[in-house]
Amino acid sequence: MARQAVDLNKGREAVRFARLTQTRSDMWSASTRVTALLAIREAQGHARVGDVFNCEASIKRAWKEWERGADGRDPDWTTFLNLAELTCLEGMCRLDLGQTKRAQRLLAESEKLQDVAHSRNRGMCLGRLSVAAISTGDIGHSIDATTKAIELTKTGMSSARAIEQLKIVHDGLAPHHRARGVGDLLEEIRALVA
């Protein structure tokens, strides 16, 4: 629910859901991956409302828990939280906080770490990387990331979030439509999201 609240731009609700779950998870001694996931979900909520201090604290908690390593009690639904994904989620927080250069660096690092088994996560990361690159004025990197995201979509990766992200990328690239390669890319995005 915290993740959905972030997607709906309801950061306060995301924080509330994450904190409530963290309180409950303490009662049943949650595994390290569960604890890390809850902390990064809280960070995403704080980032969405621009709360830098609490976002930083939540990111640090997430990494501290993640670095403790896998736990035999980690539920299957936490297996997606690998190094690439946690790096991507931190990058998304940084992007929401307006820390675009840091976000671009983290998202580019995450994209290099992503594997084929997590194509939906990679698609989301690429979309956010494209947005971060636009924000830093790195149109070439944005074109590259967007092209990779489109290729994932064309090869069967389906994700409503990734499509929504491509719409955001389209709007960000539109003012640069005269830059080399952007016009064709905008048309390709329009064809996908129509």
Side-chain angles (χ1 to χ4, degrees):
M1 290 177 76
R3 174 72 213 149
Q4 289 176 341
V6 168
D7 287 344
L8 295 171
N9 204 25
K10 296 183 177 187
R12 283 182 175 65
E13 285 85 350
V15 170
R16 188 170 50 84
F17 288 134
R19 284 184 173 169
L20 178 63
T21 308
Q22 287 173 77
T23 300
R24 297 284 187 229
S25 70
D26 287 345
M27 295 163 69
W28 47 271
S29 300
S31 69
T32 54
R33 289 296 186 260
V34 169
T35 307
L37 180 58
L38 294 174
I40 200 67
R41 292 296 187 224
E42 181 181 344
Q44 289 181 286
H46 289 304
R48 193 48 65 106
V49 297
D51 184 345
V52 178
F53 180 82
N54 284 308
C55 182
E56 292 284 352
S58 297
I59 289 171
K60 285 178 186 171
R61 274 197 335 273
W63 279 107
K64 182 179 177 186
E65 286 299 315
W66 193 87
E67 288 168 355
R68 288 177 54 202
D71 183 327
R73 299 175 306 116
D74 289 332
D76 289 343
W77 51 266
T78 62
T79 58
F80 79 96
L81 190 64
N82 56 22
L83 178 60
E85 183 64 12
L86 190 54
T87 303
C88 179
L89 293 172
E90 179 182 351
M92 290 165 65
C93 288
R94 302 294 178 190
L95 186 57
D96 283 347
L97 290 173
Q99 299 171 357
T100 53
K101 287 184 181 183
R102 195 168 180 186
Q104 184 177 353
R105 183 182 53 77
L106 286 163
L107 293 163
E109 181 182 328
S110 173
E111 193 267 324
K112 289 176 188 168
L113 294 169
Q114 294 282 359
D115 59 26
V116 176
H118 295 93
S119 63
R120 287 179 64 201
N121 294 1
R122 184 168 184 247
M124 191 61 168
C125 178
L126 285 165
R128 293 296 181 108
L129 173 57
S130 183
V131 171
I134 293 166
S135 298
T136 63
D138 188 352
I139 303 305
H141 201 171
S142 178
I143 290 169
D144 182 56
T146 304
T147 302
K148 289 177 182 176
I150 288 170
E151 284 304 313
L152 280 174
T153 304
K154 285 181 176 178
T155 58
M157 184 272 303
S158 65
S159 167
R161 284 188 206 147
I163 295 298
E164 285 303 311
Q165 196 62 43
L166 283 174
K167 290 177 184 177
I168 294 167
V169 169
H170 177 278
D171 293 346
L173 282 174
H176 306 279
H177 66 278
R178 288 195 169 94
R180 191 170 132 185
V182 173
D184 292 338
L185 192 59
L186 291 172
E187 284 185 31
E188 206 168 347
I189 293 170
R190 281 192 292 271
L192 275 174
V193 301

